[in-house]
């Protein structure tokens, strides 16, 4: 939200939202939406994300990363092959217990607020999906780099903690770089400093339709555009599925659902 506040001032735009928070120690991709494009935030937040994380074995902390207080230290006698052998346990649909140091609420209070008071409460396991998990490299003794592609709600530091538990030596997250979110990569990104220093920051913006690049485009014209802009369903030759819908002048109108020859609006993006 600090980033959103700075961009709100830079662009003189009240409507600013982001596509998924990052832990304080994390760096990397933060999709930010301005103006009418904030209607895409809910789709961005739901999408998969990719991270490159540092895994430090032999260290257990109360935050499950290296910023926390040390709870346990153990000597590490784990080979790369042994680490790779446990990763399939954490790949695919899994159950993950959220960490106490998280913004999840329990009886109206955020867990990290309770944790700071020394209170620990029971947390129910939550289903998440790890679609890709691989060791990218060995940085040093007991220090590895992991690449993780995961669903919304996945805690990578909890993943590091759980891998350490599975290996019997404990573990935590030592660094976190988000390399992809909402389909946008590091290569697509600019730094906050670049945006704030830019004389024409609007030239750095991408159109809202780039958030839906996975869906095929269709173009409509004439009275059908009028129907679409009034939120009415309209007939279409498109096969059943989800589409990016444009006017003939290239204006991105909406994300639509075609079913049985009729297109209905999922979310509109034209300026009103």
């Amino acid at each position: 939200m600090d980033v959103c506040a700075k961009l709100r001032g830079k662009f003189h735009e009240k409507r600013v939202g982001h596509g998924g928070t990052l832990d304080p120690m994390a760096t990397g991709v933060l999709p930010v939406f301005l103006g009418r494009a904030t209607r895409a935030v809910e789709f961005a937040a739901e999408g998969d994300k990719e991270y490159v994380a540092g895994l430090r074995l032999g260290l257990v902390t109360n935050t499950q990363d290296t910023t926390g207080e040390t709870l346990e230290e153990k000597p590490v006698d784990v080979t790369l092959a042994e680490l790779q052998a446990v990763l399939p346990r954490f790949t695919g649909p899994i159950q993950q217990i959220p960490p106490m140091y998280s913004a999840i609420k329990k009886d109206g209070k955020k867990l990290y607020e309770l944790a700071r008071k020394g209170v620990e409460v029971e947390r129910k396991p939550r289903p998440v999906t790890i679609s890709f998990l691989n060791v990218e490299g060995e940085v040093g003794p007991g220090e590895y780099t992991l690449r993780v592609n995961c669903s919304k709600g996945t805690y990578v530091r909890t993943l590091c903690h759980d891998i350490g538990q599975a290996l019997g030596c404990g573990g935590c997250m030592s660094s976190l770089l988000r390399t992809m979110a909402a389909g946008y990569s590091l290569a697509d990104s600019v730094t906050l400093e670049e945006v704030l220093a830019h004389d024409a920051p609007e030239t750095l913006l991408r159109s809202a339709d780039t958030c839906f690049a996975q869906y095929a485009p269709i173009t409509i014209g004439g009275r059908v555009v009028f129907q679409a802009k009034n939120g009415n369903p309209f007939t279409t030759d498109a096969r059943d599925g989800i589409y990016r819908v444009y006017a003939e002048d290239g204006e991105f109108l909406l994300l639509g659902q075609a079913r049985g020859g009729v297109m209905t609006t999922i979310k509109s993006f034209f300026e009103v």
Side-chain angles (χ1 to χ4, degrees), residues 238-252:
R239 294 179 179 178
D240 288 4
I242 297 175
Y243 294 87
R244 288 177 283 136
V245 181
Y246 296 85
E248 290 176 327
D249 63 1
E251 179 187 12
F252 178 45

Side-chain angles (χ1 to χ4, degrees), residues 36-58:
R36 187 75 172 170
T38 53
R39 295 172 67 79
V41 166
E42 63 184 277
F43 302 96
E46 290 294 325
D48 286 1
K49 298 172 177 64
E50 184 184 74
Y51 298 90
V52 172
L55 167 65
R56 180 174 298 176
L57 296 176

Side-chain angles (χ1 to χ4, degrees), residues 3-267:
V3 172
C4 289
K6 289 179 180 180
L7 295 181
R8 192 174 290 116
K10 179 67 176 179
F11 285 91
H12 307 291
E13 171 61 68
K14 292 181 180 179
R15 296 169 297 170
V16 180
H18 65 80
T21 56
L22 285 165
D23 281 349
M25 75 178 293
T27 59
V29 180
L30 179 69
V32 180
F33 300 80
L34 288 86
R36 187 75 172 170
T38 53
R39 295 172 67 79
V41 166
E42 63 184 277
F43 302 96
E46 290 294 325
D48 286 1
K49 298 172 177 64
E50 184 184 74
Y51 298 90
V52 172
L55 167 65
R56 180 174 298 176
L57 296 176
L59 178 65
V60 178
T61 75
N62 62 342
T63 59
Q64 300 182 342
D65 60 33
T66 51
T67 68
E69 297 176 9
T70 298
L71 300 179
E72 190 177 9
E73 281 191 87
K74 287 184 177 180
V76 180
D77 185 22
V78 174
T79 65
L80 174 58
E82 288 171 333
L83 170 58
Q84 290 173 324
V86 303
L87 297 188
R89 298 190 210 173
F90 301 96
T91 305
I94 64 170
Q95 295 287 321
Q96 192 178 65
I97 298 176
M100 274 302 298
Y101 279 86
S102 65
I104 295 171
K105 289 186 177 181
K106 175 80 170 180
D107 299 327
K109 287 192 174 291
K110 293 179 178 177
L111 290 184
Y112 69 76
E113 294 173 346
L114 297 172
R116 286 171 181 167
K117 295 177 182 177
V119 177
E120 181 158 352
V121 297
E122 184 180 357
R123 288 97 64 204
K124 293 182 179 179
R126 303 197 311 179
V128 297
T129 300
I130 311 291
S131 53
F132 181 83
L133 177 58
N134 189 54
V135 180
E136 294 286 288
E138 186 172 2
V139 182
E143 287 265 6
Y144 297 90
T145 303
L146 305 177
R147 185 173 295 274
V148 186
N149 190 292
C150 55
S151 64
K152 173 191 175 184
T154 302
Y155 285 92
V156 178
R157 51 196 163 99
T158 299
L159 176 64
C160 291
H161 170 87
D162 292 347
I163 289 172
Q165 294 299 108
L167 290 168
C169 60
C172 66
M173 186 180 77
S174 58
S175 63
L176 186 65
L177 170 67
R178 187 154 69 191
T179 55
M180 187 277 291
Y184 302 110
S185 68
L186 279 172
D188 299 320
S189 307
V190 293
T191 66
L192 178 61
E193 290 73 23
E194 286 178 285
V195 179
L196 297 179
H198 208 287
D199 292 332
E202 64 278 359
T203 62
L204 301 174
L205 295 175
R206 294 169 177 266
S207 58
D209 60 336
T210 60
C211 193
F212 307 109
Q214 69 270 38
Y215 301 118
I218 65 169
T219 301
I220 59 176
R223 182 168 177 77
V224 179
V225 174
F226 177 80
Q227 288 178 273
K229 286 193 171 185
N230 280 278
N232 296 320
F234 54 90
T235 58
T236 179
D237 294 331
R239 294 179 179 178
D240 288 4
I242 297 175
Y243 294 87
R244 288 177 283 136
V245 181
Y246 296 85
E248 290 176 327
D249 63 1
E251 179 187 12
F252 178 45
L253 299 175
L254 55 92
L255 187 69
Q257 172 81 57
R259 184 177 290 117
V262 176
M263 182 77 71
T264 55
T265 298
I266 296 173
K267 187 74 74 171

